[in-house]
Amino acid sequence: MSDLRETRLEKAEALRALGRQPYALRFGPTHRTAALQEAHADLPNGEERNLEVVVAGRVMTRRVMGKLAFFTLTDESGPIQLYLDKATLEGLEPGAFSQLTTLVDAGDLIGVSGSLRRTDRGELSVKVSSWTMLSKALQPLPDKWHGLADVEKRYRQRYLDLIVSPHTRETFRRRALLVSGIRRWLDERGFLEIETPVLQSVPGGADARPFETHHNALDLPLTLRIATELHLKRLVVGGFERVYELGRIFRNEGVSTRHNPEFTSVEVYQAYADYIDMMELTEQLIAAVCLQVCGSTAITYQGTAIDLAPPWRRATMHELVEQACGLDFTAMASRKEAAAAMEAQGLQVSPLADSVGRLLSEAFEQTVEANLIQPTFVLDYPVEISPLARPHRSKPGLVERFELFIVGRETANAFSELIDPIDQRERLESQQQRRAAGDLEAQGVDEDFLQALEVGMPPTGGLGIGIDRLAMLLTDSASIRDVIAFPLLKPEGRAEGRGEGRAEGRAALRESPPASHDPAQ
RNA sequence: GGGUCGCUAGCUCAGCGGUAGAGCACUCGGCUUUUAACCGAUUGGUCCUGAGUUCGAAUCUCAGGCGACCCA
């Protein structure tokens, strides 16, 4: 409501009139609040410690009672109580107490200095002797007790969610630890992170529709990358034996609790390795970062206990499908036979699935996937759905590929990479035909990538891990939007009305005196 | 793409055909040990948007917007 905002603007002006700037330049806290809480846990109730501390943060709650007041101040590490005693504050500066209690609102950022005192009720507090306004908030905080319950508002105004929800802060803190932990683990093992282009002429490396954009100066249509795979492989051709890239991927797809159009992956390539090596790498890497982030490899996800201690279960797709629905796809001689068997089991058969291998994959999705709760490597995929993976060393029609499933979700995908340039060309051309036939997710032919393979690529193991899904797992988050700070949402319908409000606000600000921080003055 | 649910004060919510409500926040007054402080008074509304039904719509109907969840 603009009334609340007007009141706060008036308070900002009142501060200026008193010689207190509502927006400070800098401030030097001596401590974080959590460090104080920990270091002075032994301070008895009702006693004071003769130590000068300076803390800064956001005022979360105010309790004013005449000549004494208590505020809760929160910095990134957590809260601490401010003990505001009129006699102490006004001893140094007349009016300081009443200014503090009338011109500082919940939501403002302030800095205080004072000594430490534990109140009679046992709350460690900074007994404030002086205070500084650091940033005057014009908007009120959400309800201090209920917080921000509106899920949509939590996503649209994540800053509010972060201010009032410690749990949300912890989620993004853990995500940051996860990302840095993965990089550190790989760096320590000699992997180099090399950045590859986001803007590409030929999207490749995955089956997905890309976002399309345009380069003006070159008058060139471009797409945002749907994978980092083909460029990282070029780097392996170039002689880097261990490379990775952790970064943003863009796929022009729907939004769900498991999909955001932009998401984060890490792809890892190791020369002279195969998919067996990548399985080991995957479980070691994920177990290590889980231990760092969660303190244990035994975690709980949405009420289910998950054990990420290696080694993890390994089973072929054929075995898992047979166990789940009794269908032995190794015995299926034709698509027709496989389709009939699936329909007899009550499974859905898509007309787009034009081979035994694609039907196997559909049967897997329908009968197995959701039940793979504990970490499971699913091995040996049909070649038709794996155009970049090497043919299996002993199983015709299959490739050396695994996907990792945890809590029913695909979390990683890896191959013994296909390095035979002739085979690769045939596979991509076959993809191209599907594309021409209307499969918008089928890959195109990247001639430069094929050229690179012809120069000679060492046998290589490659791996991709979905960082967002891993973050969901390690933060016990039900939706991918809970682990993406600013998930994609449609613009609000009421944007016009709000825009007008903001325009008024800017105009109002311009009416205030000329900026005193102009260096020319 | 289909289904279910939601959208009312800054926040959290009630109201479900008859004057638009509560708690917190805000404003004012009181209060030197509170921590969802308390006590008293006041203020605050495009009931998501539009159309329809009706003497009368936040409430019923239809269409649309945004979101959540489930299914594909």
Side-chain angles (χ1 to χ4, degrees):
Chain A
M1 197 46 210
S2 64
D3 273 3
L4 297 173
R5 189 167 175 278
E6 282 304 315
T7 304
R8 287 171 177 245
L9 276 171
E10 285 165 13
K11 288 179 178 180
E13 286 310 311
L15 286 164
R16 282 200 177 94
L18 289 163
R20 289 182 179 272
Q21 289 308 311
Y23 302 101
L25 175 60
R26 69 180 301 278
F27 193 73
T30 57
H31 294 82
R32 286 279 186 86
T33 63
L36 289 175
Q37 300 277 13
E38 193 184 336
H40 302 280
D42 62 330
L43 185 62
N45 288 5
E47 291 194 15
E48 205 163 321
R49 193 151 277 173
N50 196 12
L51 171 75
E52 182 79 358
V53 300
V54 181
V55 295
R58 194 180 296 274
V59 175
M60 299 302 288
T61 62
R62 295 163 17 99
R63 294 176 292 281
V64 181
M65 45 211 70
K67 301 185 178 66
L68 180 69
F70 299 93
F71 287 6
T72 306
L73 188 78
T74 301
D75 68 14
E76 190 185 328
S77 72
I80 195 164
Q81 180 168 267
L82 304 184
Y83 178 103
L84 306 163
D85 160 62
K86 183 170 185 177
T88 305
L89 270 158
E90 306 227 328
L92 289 169
E93 187 185 348
F97 178 80
S98 58
Q99 289 164 22
L100 185 54
T101 53
T102 57
L103 300 180
V104 177
D105 293 300
D108 292 353
L109 292 154
I110 67 171
V112 299
S113 64
S115 56
L116 284 176
R117 175 189 180 88
R118 191 175 297 280
T119 64
D120 297 343
R121 300 291 179 87
E123 187 76 35
L124 184 70
S125 309
V126 177
K127 186 180 179 187
V128 176
S129 51
S130 72
W131 71 280
T132 306
M133 176 62 74
L134 299 179
S135 187
K136 181 68 191 170
L138 300 183
Q139 299 289 337
L141 290 179
D143 189 287
K144 64 185 171 189
W145 183 243
H146 300 96
L148 206 55
D150 181 342
V151 182
E152 181 176 357
K153 190 151 292 181
R154 283 181 33 214
Y155 296 151
R156 288 195 194 278
Q157 296 182 264
R158 182 69 89 181
Y159 39 90
L160 288 180
D161 185 28
L162 289 165
I163 289 168
V164 300
S165 312
H167 181 259
T168 303
R169 285 199 296 277
E170 176 62 12
T171 294
F172 290 107
R173 194 185 72 85
R174 284 190 180 202
R175 182 180 173 128
L177 289 179
L178 166 66
V179 167
S180 63
I182 289 171
R183 287 203 161 102
R184 193 176 320 112
W185 194 93
L186 290 167
D187 292 345
E188 283 168 355
R189 283 157 185 79
F191 288 88
L192 289 179
E193 180 167 26
I194 299 183
E195 293 168 282
T196 65
V198 171
L199 294 173
Q200 307 180 340
S201 294
V202 185
D207 300 338
R209 296 183 64 179
F211 284 93
E212 292 165 359
T213 184
H214 187 261
H215 186 275
N216 291 342
L218 298 181
D219 189 19
L220 183 67
L222 291 169
T223 59
L224 304 190
R225 68 183 177 193
I226 56 173
T228 47
E229 175 150 359
L230 301 188
H231 285 90
L232 288 171
K233 284 180 174 173
R234 285 173 170 88
L235 293 169
V236 177
V237 169
F240 289 111
E241 294 174 1
R242 293 182 174 216
V243 292
Y244 75 97
E245 181 174 12
L246 194 160
R248 203 70 56 86
I249 303 296
F250 306 86
R251 295 186 183 173
N252 208 335
E253 296 171 345
V255 173
S256 78
T257 49
R258 294 173 297 280
H259 298 87
N260 195 63
E262 55 177 306
F263 63 97
T264 303
S265 80
V266 60
E267 286 192 30
V268 182
Y269 292 85
Q270 180 177 340
Y272 313 118
D274 64 10
Y275 79 140
I276 308 289
D277 298 309
M278 300 320 279
M279 261 181 264
E280 183 143 336
L281 186 153
T282 302
E283 60 190 8
Q284 294 299 328
L285 168 60
I286 291 178
V289 295
C290 180
L291 190 60
Q292 286 169 24
V293 173
C294 302
S296 166
T297 52
I299 60 175
T300 300
Y301 183 77
Q302 305 290 295
T304 302
I306 306 294
D307 184 2
L308 292 175
W312 298 342
R313 180 186 181 198
R314 301 179 185 190
T316 69
M317 182 178 274
H318 284 84
E319 289 165 0
L320 289 166
V321 168
E322 188 170 1
Q323 283 167 21
C325 64
L327 296 180
D328 178 7
F329 275 79
T330 58
M332 305 291 177
S334 67
R335 184 204 179 269
K336 194 176 167 185
E337 182 186 348
M342 282 175 68
E343 277 167 350
Q345 292 288 317
L347 300 180
Q348 297 201 330
V349 175
S350 162
L352 289 172
D354 56 3
S355 69
V356 175
R358 288 185 192 275
L359 286 175
L360 168 67
S361 173
E362 295 218 341
F364 173 79
E365 285 174 20
Q366 290 174 51
T367 63
V368 180
E369 205 171 287
N371 301 317
L372 296 177
I373 306 303
Q374 298 301 323
T376 304
F377 291 116
V378 178
L379 277 60
D380 301 343
Y381 281 57
V383 65
E384 305 93 295
I385 58 170
S386 314
L388 301 169
R390 178 192 185 93
H392 196 280
R393 63 194 73 184
S394 62
K395 298 175 181 172
L398 302 184
V399 294
E400 298 205 346
R401 171 182 182 186
F402 73 78
E403 288 189 326
L404 168 66
F405 286 83
I406 310 177
V407 295
R409 290 200 278 258
E410 179 200 341
T411 303
N413 181 22
F415 324 133
S416 299
E417 299 296 342
L418 176 57
I419 61 171
D420 176 343
I422 305 303
D423 190 357
Q424 182 66 87
R425 173 174 291 281
E426 287 170 4
R427 302 257 207 111
L428 289 180
E429 285 175 349
S430 156
Q431 284 282 309
Q432 181 92 304
Q433 283 166 19
R434 286 186 69 85
R435 192 185 173 94
D439 184 346
L440 295 169
E441 294 191 349
Q443 302 186 30
V445 178
D446 184 334
E447 288 293 344
D448 182 73
F449 169 64
L450 291 171
Q451 180 79 23
L453 288 191
E454 295 206 357
V455 170
M457 176 166 164
T460 298
L463 163 70
I465 300 175
I467 299 297
D468 307 272
R469 291 178 182 180
L470 196 53
M472 289 168 68
L473 182 70
L474 301 192
T475 60
D476 195 14
S477 298
S479 170
I480 196 170
R481 293 182 210 92
D482 293 328
V483 299
I484 293 174
F486 304 100
L488 183 71
L489 296 173
K490 283 192 184 182
E492 275 183 301
R494 284 175 294 176
E496 289 168 7
R498 296 197 165 196
E500 281 169 23
R502 289 203 196 93
E504 285 169 21
R506 289 208 187 93
L509 285 175
R510 272 188 227 109
E511 286 165 14
S512 51
S516 57
H517 60 255
D518 186 338
Q521 289 184 346

